[in-house]
Amino acid sequence: MSEKKAEEQKGMSRRALLKGAALGAMAAVGGVALNLAKPGTAEAVVRKMPQKWDEAWDVVIVGSGFAGLAAAAEAAGAGAKVVILEKMPTYGGNSIINGGEYNSWDDEFHLREKLKLGDDSSELHEKDSLKGGDYFGFPELVRIFVNGATPSLNWMIDQGGLKLREVVNRTGGHSAYRTHTCVEGVGRGFTEALKKIAEGRGAKIRLNTAVTWIWRTDADPKSPILGVEITTGKRTRNVKVSKALILAAGGFSQNKEMRQAFNPSIVPEFNSTNHPGSTGEVLRYAQAVGADALQLCFIQLYPYAEPETGMLDAPAVYPFRGPGFGIVYVNKLGKRFVNEMERRDVVSRAEMATGMKPTYSIFNEAMIPKMGTKEEVEQGIAKGRFVKADTIAELAGKLGIPANDLQETITTHNRYMKEGKDPDFGRQFTKVMIPMEEGPFYAIAQWPAVHFTMGGLRINKDAQVIDIWGKPIPRLYAAGEVTGGIHGDNRLGGNATPSCIVYGRIAGTKAAKEKVVGKA
Ligand SMILES: Cc1cc2nc3c(=O)[nH]c(=O)nc-3n(C[C@H](O)[C@H](O)[C@H](O)COP(=O)(O)OP(=O)(O)OC[C@H]3O[C@@H](n4cnc5c(N)ncnc54)[C@H](O)[C@@H]3O)c2cc1C
C-alpha cells in the first residue's frame, strides 16, 4: 500500500472513531454505547446499549486474584452486594500460583527483629521501591501500598487465618530483609485467606464468566459506568452495576501481540510464567470507554523461570529467595556473571548476555531452611528440577560444566564473603549469609520468562480510574496488575502481592460508599 493511501486509511479510521464517539455521546440505556474501538479491528463499531439488565449488583469486580478478592472483602464488609466475575474455571489467576512472597517492613510477630535480620522501615521500603523502578513509580501511589503492606498482612493473619514461615528474606533490589513467605510457599496461602474473608462477608465468586464489554454511554467526565456484558459459554448477558465496577483483571504477559505492540524487545519467543488468562482485554475495554493507561512498555522478565517452559514452580522461587543468604549464580562455564543482589531486570539482561542458556543457581544444604523446606527440595529433586551432589566437582559433572572452574568460583565467593568485599561484581554481604563450605550442594537451571506488566490503567490514590482528560471516571475503580504507575520500569520481587491487596482494599472500601443508582 502506498504511503498516501495508508495515511488516507488512517484518517478514515480516525473519522470513524470520532463518529463512534459522537454517536456514543447521544446514547442512553437502550441506545448506543460509547465504543472507541472494537477488539481486533481498528474501526469503530456501534454497540447497542442493552435494552434491559439481566441482573444487578452493587459492586461488580472483574477478576478473582489478590486485588479482586481484597476488594470483595472490603466492599462486602461494608454491606454491599458483591459479585466477582472470573472468566477461568478456577479462581485465583496469577495470584494463586504466585511464589508466596510478600514484602512488608514488619508483621505482628516482628519476625525480622526476632530473627536478628537488621533494621527496616516503611520509608526504606518506599525508597527501595522507587529506586528499583528507576523513579517511574508515582511516589504517592508507592507510599500508600508500602504503608498499607503491614496492616494488610496482619489483617489476613487475624481474619483470614494466613500463616507465615518463620523466615524473612532479602531479595534482589531490596536493601533490607522484608520478604515474608506464607507457609504454603505459594500464593494460595494468601488467596485462601482473602477468599475466606470475602466469602465470609457474603461476596460471591462466579467462575467461567468472562466480562466482554464495559457499558458507558459517553466520554463526558460526568458519565458513569453503567454495567458490563458477560459471556458464559455461548450465552451473553448484561449486568447492571448499581454502585461501582472494580477492574482487577491482572496483567497481559500472556498476550504476545499486546506485549510486543508496547515493547518490541519482548519477542513472542519468550516463555511466560503467567496463567493463561492474563491476556489484557479488560485493559482494552477500559481504554475503549475513555480510561487512560500508562507505562505499558514496561514489561518484566523473571530471571529464574524453568528454561524450557517458563514455568515458575516452587523450585523456581529459590533463586529469588536465596541472595540474602548467599546463593551464587553461574553460567555454563561455572563463572559468576552478575551481582546476585541485583534487580530482576539487571539479572535477566546479564543472563541473556552470557549467550549461553541456561544459567544456574548454586546453594548448599545449610541455606535450605532459609529459602524453603527440605520436603520442597526433595520434591524438586524427584521432578528433576534441583540437582544434588556431595561435592562441587560432582555437581559440576552432573550439570556438564567445568568442575575446576565451578570450584574456583565457589571458593573465591566464600573468601569474598569472609572479607566482606566482592571486587568482581560488588555484591553486598551481610552477617547472616552462609559460605558454601559444606555439602551437600544443589543447583537449579534458570532463564528469563515474561512475568509482570508494570504498566496499566491510570489510577489515583483512591483507586479510581482516571480518564484521558485526567478526571476520575465515575463509578470505575481498578487495582492490581491491571493498573500502572506503581512499580516504575521494574517491579521489585515481592511487591506485587501487597500492592494488589492494598489497592484492592481501597477500591472495595470506596466502591461500597458510592450511592446506589436505581434498584440494586
Ligand atoms: C508464577 C508467578 C509467581 C509470582 N510470584 C510473586 C510473589 O511471590 N510475590 C509477588 O509480590 N508477586 C508475585 N507475582 C506477581 C503477582 O502474583 C501478580 O502480579 C498478582 O497475582 C496479580 O494479581 P491481580 O489480582 O492483579 O491479578 P490476577 O491474580 O492475575 O487475577 C486476575 C484475574 O482476572 C481474570 N480475568 C482476566 N480477564 C477477565 C475477563 N475478561 N473477565 C473475567 N475475568 C477476567 C483472570 O482470569 C484472573 O483470574 C508472581 C506472578 C506469577 C505469574
Side-chain angles (χ1 to χ4, degrees):
M1 189 190 308
S2 75
E3 231 171 79
K4 191 164 168 241
K5 190 129 195 212
E7 273 311 306
E8 273 170 21
Q9 283 218 344
K10 262 200 234 157
M12 275 175 64
S13 297
R14 260 196 303 272
R15 280 196 296 281
L17 263 161
L18 291 170
K19 198 171 154 205
L23 279 170
M26 291 185 284
V29 175
V32 182
L34 174 66
N35 176 31
L36 298 181
K38 182 185 178 192
T41 75
E43 295 297 323
V45 289
V46 173
R47 285 185 60 122
K48 292 244 169 75
M49 281 290 292
Q51 296 294 319
K52 64 172 186 57
W53 299 109
D54 296 299
E55 54 183 306
W57 294 81
D58 290 339
V59 176
V60 173
I61 299 170
V62 191
S64 63
F66 293 141
L69 292 166
E74 292 296 6
K81 196 178 143 218
V82 178
V83 67
I84 296 181
L85 305 172
E86 169 57 58
K87 69 178 174 183
M88 302 299 280
T90 52
Y91 94 96
N94 277 338
S95 303
I96 201 167
I97 58 162
N98 109 338
E101 308 294 301
Y102 187 110
N103 294 334
S104 172
W105 77 277
D106 201 8
D107 60 77
E108 66 185 45
F109 312 113
H110 310 299
L111 283 176
R112 175 183 42 79
E113 224 177 312
K114 196 171 145 193
L115 298 166
K116 300 191 172 33
L117 292 170
D119 294 332
D120 197 10
S121 64
S122 59
E123 288 79 19
L124 193 57
H125 186 187
E126 180 184 334
K127 209 170 141 203
D128 285 350
S129 303
L130 285 168
K131 182 169 177 237
D134 290 318
Y135 304 97
F136 284 101
F138 286 78
E140 184 183 39
L141 296 182
V142 175
R143 184 162 311 141
I144 287 170
F145 107 69
V146 163
N147 286 341
T150 307
S152 288
L153 186 62
N154 294 340
W155 174 68
M156 289 185 285
I157 294 167
D158 296 341
Q159 303 209 22
L162 172 71
K163 293 201 168 45
L164 298 178
R165 288 183 180 174
E166 279 249 335
V167 53
V168 183
N169 281 284
R170 175 172 163 179
T171 53
H174 292 278
S175 62
Y177 288 77
R178 63 170 69 104
T179 306
H180 293 67
T181 310
C182 58
V183 282
E184 295 81 353
V186 52
R188 182 167 34 84
F190 297 106
T191 58
E192 284 292 302
L194 292 168
K195 187 165 170 275
K196 185 176 163 196
I197 308 174
E199 290 185 330
R201 293 174 174 183
K204 302 283 179 239
I205 302 177
R206 201 180 287 172
L207 302 175
N208 293 308
T209 307
V211 167
T212 42
W213 200 252
I214 296 171
W215 296 118
R216 186 187 189 202
T217 53
D218 88 41
D220 183 302
K222 290 195 201 78
S223 172
I225 293 302
L226 299 174
V228 289
E229 178 189 84
I230 58 171
T231 303
T232 312
K234 286 190 181 139
R235 193 164 171 228
T236 295
R237 289 153 56 83
N238 291 294
V239 178
K240 181 185 172 206
V241 170
S242 300
K243 284 179 175 247
L245 174 65
I246 301 176
L247 306 179
F252 58 91
S253 288
Q254 285 288 13
N255 187 332
K256 291 183 181 176
E257 254 177 46
M258 202 165 154
R259 69 193 200 199
Q260 221 187 346
F262 299 120
N263 185 336
S265 76
I266 306 295
V267 292
E269 286 71 24
F270 275 114
N271 288 317
S272 173
T273 62
N274 280 209
H275 87 119
S278 45
T279 42
E281 67 277 11
V282 170
L283 168 66
R284 291 309 211 183
Y285 302 150
Q287 286 184 295
V289 296
D292 196 13
L294 76 165
Q295 303 181 343
L296 294 165
C297 65
F298 296 152
I299 299 176
Q300 176 168 78
L301 300 174
Y302 182 74
Y304 323 111
E306 198 285 320
E308 298 313 318
T309 60
M311 180 173 58
L312 201 175
D313 53 359
V317 193
Y318 280 60
F320 165 68
R321 295 185 189 136
F325 292 105
I327 208 164
V328 168
Y329 306 151
V330 297
N331 63 17
K332 282 179 93 171
L333 301 177
K335 306 275 190 204
R336 287 175 71 216
F337 56 91
V338 72
N339 172 0
E340 292 81 353
M341 309 303 288
E342 268 295 359
R343 313 163 2 168
R344 289 176 170 179
D345 53 346
V346 176
V347 178
S348 292
R349 274 198 301 270
E351 285 183 332
M352 290 187 284
T354 64
M356 295 171 275
K357 181 179 172 181
T359 65
Y360 298 95
S361 276
I362 311 288
F363 57 97
N364 72 352
E365 189 85 8
M367 290 182 205
I368 292 175
K370 309 287 183 191
M371 299 189 292
T373 64
K374 194 85 187 102
E375 297 73 52
E376 256 173 22
V377 173
E378 292 300 336
Q379 285 164 11
I381 293 170
K383 281 189 197 143
R385 294 282 286 124
F386 289 118
V387 177
K388 181 182 179 183
D390 288 332
T391 64
I392 291 287
E394 188 193 340
L395 190 68
K398 287 186 174 177
L399 300 176
I401 64 182
N404 288 346
D405 292 330
L406 184 62
Q407 184 63 65
E408 193 192 318
T409 297
I410 299 302
T411 308
T412 307
H413 185 264
N414 287 343
R415 180 160 54 80
Y416 290 168
M417 195 182 281
K418 278 187 192 140
E419 293 167 358
K421 206 164 184 265
D422 170 16
D424 298 336
F425 296 100
R427 181 175 192 161
Q428 309 88 333
F429 292 109
T430 69
K431 288 197 184 75
V432 296
M433 286 185 183
I434 300 167
M436 271 188 269
E437 284 161 345
E438 282 174 34
F441 300 95
Y442 298 82
I444 181 163
Q446 57 197 23
W447 196 250
V450 181
H451 186 53
F452 186 88
T453 46
M454 272 77 70
L457 297 172
R458 189 186 290 276
I459 55 164
N460 64 12
K461 64 179 178 44
D462 294 327
Q464 288 175 292
V465 176
I466 303 303
D467 72 5
I468 51 174
W469 320 112
K471 299 272 190 290
I473 297 179
R475 301 178 184 277
L476 185 61
Y477 295 82
E481 201 176 328
V482 76
T483 67
I486 297 173
H487 303 289
D489 65 356
N490 172 70
R491 175 180 65 87
L492 292 187
N495 268 356
T497 311
S499 62
C500 293
I501 293 170
V502 168
Y503 278 102
R505 294 183 71 189
I506 294 172
T509 305
K510 300 281 176 188
K513 287 195 175 130
E514 295 275 2
K515 286 206 181 77
V516 170
V517 187
K519 272 194 207 152

